[in-house]
Amino acid sequence: MSENVKVLEGWKRVKLGEVLSISRIPDNEKDPNKRITVRLWNKGVFAREVREVELNREKESTIYYKRKAGQFIYGKQNLVRGAFGVIPPELDGYCSTSDVPSFDVSKNLDVYYLDYTLRTLYKAFSLYEKGTGSKRVHEKDFLSFEIFLPPIFEQQKIAEILKTVDRAIEKTGKIIEKYKRIKQGLMQDLLTKGIDENGKIRNEKTHKFKDSPIGRIPEKWEVVRLMEVVSSYAGGTPNRDIDEFYNGNIKWLKSGEISKKYISDTEEKITEKGLKFSNAKYIAVNAVVIALYGATAGQVGIVKDILTANQAVLALNILDKLRLFHEYLYYFLSKFIPMILSQLQGSGQPNLSKNIVDNTFISLPPLPEQQRIASVLSQIDEVIEKEEAYKEKLERIKKGLMEDLLTGKVRVDDLTENQKEEF
């Protein structure tokens, strides 16, 4: 940390070694028969994940550490390098190896304040990494790292505010996961059993079913190949070497942009000349698009504005809108395309093709039933989107609070009660 950085009134500049002391387990207490599941914050990711570290009982020379709730830990090397966190109460007494050293905390330091502070400074740790092969941050270098330290009561207030936001984010995340599980269950039922005129999901005790190429389905449903009800078009091939083809007003969809249900905008735009040169075609509103390959292979979306696409995108235009509803097609493909991809797994990234999609079987309930199915699933999607937007808002608030509170730009006493109660 630069010596020229001003220290706020009442705050101190300290090295971690002044407020942390390394905690080692005495030889007579070493217990290699336990394992540790530690909650670590992964370097560069503003989220927590559970990492399980198995002890190696065969290496008698391995140094083990006995953890205590409230200790601070960091990943010194290997897979956990650069991660850090606080030992939670449920892991009190567990052991781990020397890859994850632990530290007792001074009475002048709130361990959660330290946790949040280091999250904002993780990039600086790269300056402390040593080694030509497996890089590591030694304990002595870690303890030489400098931070700003407010009075303990201010640390505790800052940590509590940020923990309150974290709890709200975690709660919202659980709500999102709950509704996603509900949606998956509904998709399984609705897309194989359907929903009758009374709003009830069918079952074979009350309704007639039949065998089909995609399994048991209601007796009145059809099964056809996708090519019988849609016309498919794989996108054009761009040429980025010609400037006059780009910076136009025609939206150019790439496979990586198919990440949500409705697609209305794109990162790149091309000109009319670029459209013709790439042999691309316009894609109509309400066409369903699929990412054929790449990291997002199998992702499905619905076009909500006229655009065109590159060769990694397949567009499906419905031939008979009295026979197939575009939102039903979206949900059907969202469920079954990942299953097709899993069957294509080989060595490397599985890819789809126009031929594979064209020959995919699709069930066709009567159009009113397709619309009922899509309506139920759309309502669930709306709830998920609302909660995801709220979670994103909370994460923006948290980021702003961390930038303000951990630098002293805003002091905790300046926060109003209304701001604190927002979470």
Side-chain angles (χ1 to χ4, degrees):
M1 184 184 295
S2 172
E3 293 294 331
N4 297 323
V5 178
K6 183 180 178 181
V7 181
L8 296 173
E9 183 181 354
W11 289 35
K12 296 186 296 183
R13 183 200 306 264
V14 301
K15 292 183 177 180
L16 291 181
E18 298 176 52
V19 288
L20 295 177
S21 56
I22 193 162
S23 174
R24 299 188 188 277
I25 177 173
D27 288 342
N28 62 347
E29 291 185 21
K30 290 180 181 178
D31 184 357
N33 296 314
K34 290 187 179 180
R35 69 180 185 183
I36 181 173
T37 303
V38 292
R39 294 184 185 277
L40 294 176
W41 177 77
N42 271 1
K43 180 168 62 174
V45 184
F46 288 93
R48 291 184 178 278
E49 75 171 29
V50 174
R51 183 185 296 282
E52 191 169 279
V53 182
E54 293 282 354
L55 299 186
N56 189 334
R57 303 178 193 178
E58 297 177 359
K59 294 184 179 180
E60 296 181 0
S61 61
T62 300
I63 300 172
Y64 294 104
Y65 294 85
K66 194 172 204 177
R67 309 309 184 186
K68 293 183 290 187
Q71 283 183 331
F72 192 78
I73 53 177
Y74 87 96
K76 182 168 68 175
Q77 58 192 8
N78 298 327
L79 293 176
V80 293
R81 178 166 54 93
F84 44 82
V86 181
I87 296 289
E90 63 267 25
L91 296 180
D92 186 277
Y94 275 60
C95 293
S96 74
T97 66
S98 57
D99 280 356
V100 190
S102 61
F103 301 86
D104 292 319
V105 179
S106 161
K107 65 180 180 180
N108 298 319
L109 174 68
D110 183 279
V111 69
Y112 293 101
Y113 169 83
L114 175 62
D115 188 27
Y116 286 116
T117 296
L118 292 185
R119 292 190 208 184
T120 67
L121 301 173
Y122 74 90
K123 289 183 179 178
F125 279 101
S126 62
L127 301 175
Y128 290 78
E129 293 177 350
K130 295 181 179 178
T132 54
S134 176
K135 292 185 178 295
R136 66 193 70 190
V137 179
H138 294 286
E139 289 96 324
K140 63 181 180 62
D141 295 318
F142 177 76
L143 293 174
S144 69
F145 194 85
E146 288 187 332
I147 63 169
F148 287 127
L149 199 66
I152 185 65
F153 71 89
E154 192 167 353
Q155 295 177 47
Q156 292 167 341
K157 286 184 178 181
I158 291 171
E160 185 52 41
I161 290 169
L162 295 174
K163 282 195 286 185
T164 300
V165 186
D166 266 340
R167 286 192 289 267
I169 291 172
E170 183 179 4
K171 179 181 177 182
T172 306
K174 289 180 178 178
I175 292 171
I176 293 169
E177 291 307 311
K178 171 187 172 184
Y179 279 104
K180 284 184 175 179
R181 289 193 298 272
I182 291 172
K183 178 184 173 182
Q184 289 302 312
L186 281 172
M187 287 178 73
Q188 175 62 33
D189 287 341
L190 293 173
L191 295 171
T192 59
K193 301 174 183 176
I195 183 171
D196 65 20
E197 296 81 355
N198 300 314
K200 302 293 185 182
I201 294 175
R202 292 189 183 85
N203 65 75
E204 297 204 39
K205 293 181 179 178
T206 57
H207 296 79
K208 292 183 178 180
F209 280 66
K210 64 182 180 182
D211 292 323
S212 79
I214 58 174
R216 299 283 289 174
I217 60 172
E219 187 178 45
K220 294 184 179 180
W221 287 18
E222 294 181 76
V223 173
V224 298
R225 293 186 188 275
L226 202 52
M227 66 174 71
E228 298 176 47
V229 288
V230 305
S231 63
S232 63
Y233 153 70
T237 303
N239 188 328
R240 290 181 172 79
D241 296 330
I242 305 177
D243 292 339
E244 60 187 297
F245 289 175
Y246 283 82
N247 300 317
N249 57 8
I250 301 171
K251 297 175 181 179
W252 179 260
L253 179 66
K254 295 172 289 188
S255 60
E257 295 174 304
I258 305 177
S259 59
K260 53 187 178 181
K261 181 177 179 180
Y262 296 118
I263 302 163
S264 59
D265 201 6
T266 62
E267 181 182 320
E268 292 184 357
K269 311 289 190 295
I270 64 171
T271 63
E272 285 283 353
K273 190 173 182 179
L275 180 73
K276 293 176 182 178
F277 181 86
S278 64
N279 292 318
K281 299 177 183 177
Y282 284 107
I283 298 173
V285 173
N286 289 337
V288 174
V289 288
I290 305 172
L292 294 177
Y293 48 85
T296 57
Q299 288 286 92
V300 184
I302 299 174
V303 171
K304 298 308 289 183
D305 197 4
I306 295 174
L307 48 76
T308 189
N310 71 9
Q311 74 278 19
V313 175
L314 186 71
L316 307 176
N317 287 303
I318 295 172
L319 295 174
D320 186 351
K321 294 182 180 179
L322 295 178
R323 197 177 179 196
L324 177 59
F325 183 49
H326 65 278
E327 288 203 9
Y328 172 81
L329 175 61
Y330 163 80
Y331 285 115
F332 184 93
L333 294 176
S334 295
K335 175 173 175 55
F336 288 99
I337 287 293
M339 295 169 60
I340 294 172
L341 273 174
S342 67
Q343 295 169 5
L344 298 173
Q345 286 284 3
S347 58
Q349 176 71 41
N351 294 328
L352 292 168
S353 68
K354 181 180 184 300
N355 183 59
I356 290 172
V357 176
D358 283 348
N359 283 283
T360 297
F361 285 107
I362 178 173
S363 59
L364 286 184
L367 189 67
E369 187 172 354
Q370 293 180 38
Q371 293 168 334
R372 290 197 297 271
I373 290 170
S375 176
V376 172
L377 295 173
S378 291
Q379 290 175 45
I380 295 289
D381 273 340
E382 288 172 8
V383 174
I384 292 172
E385 288 167 9
K386 180 181 176 182
E387 294 296 335
E388 286 177 336
Y390 179 57
K391 185 182 178 186
E392 289 174 4
K393 176 185 174 183
L394 289 173
E395 288 169 343
R396 289 193 300 270
I397 290 172
K398 177 187 170 185
K399 182 179 179 181
L401 284 170
M402 289 178 72
E403 291 173 353
D404 289 343
L405 295 176
L406 296 171
T407 60
K409 182 179 178 181
V410 174
R411 306 298 285 267
V412 286
D413 290 339
D414 295 335
L415 289 176
T416 65
E417 288 302 316
N418 287 338
Q419 286 173 304
K420 294 178 185 178
E421 291 172 0
E422 186 175 351
F423 319 111

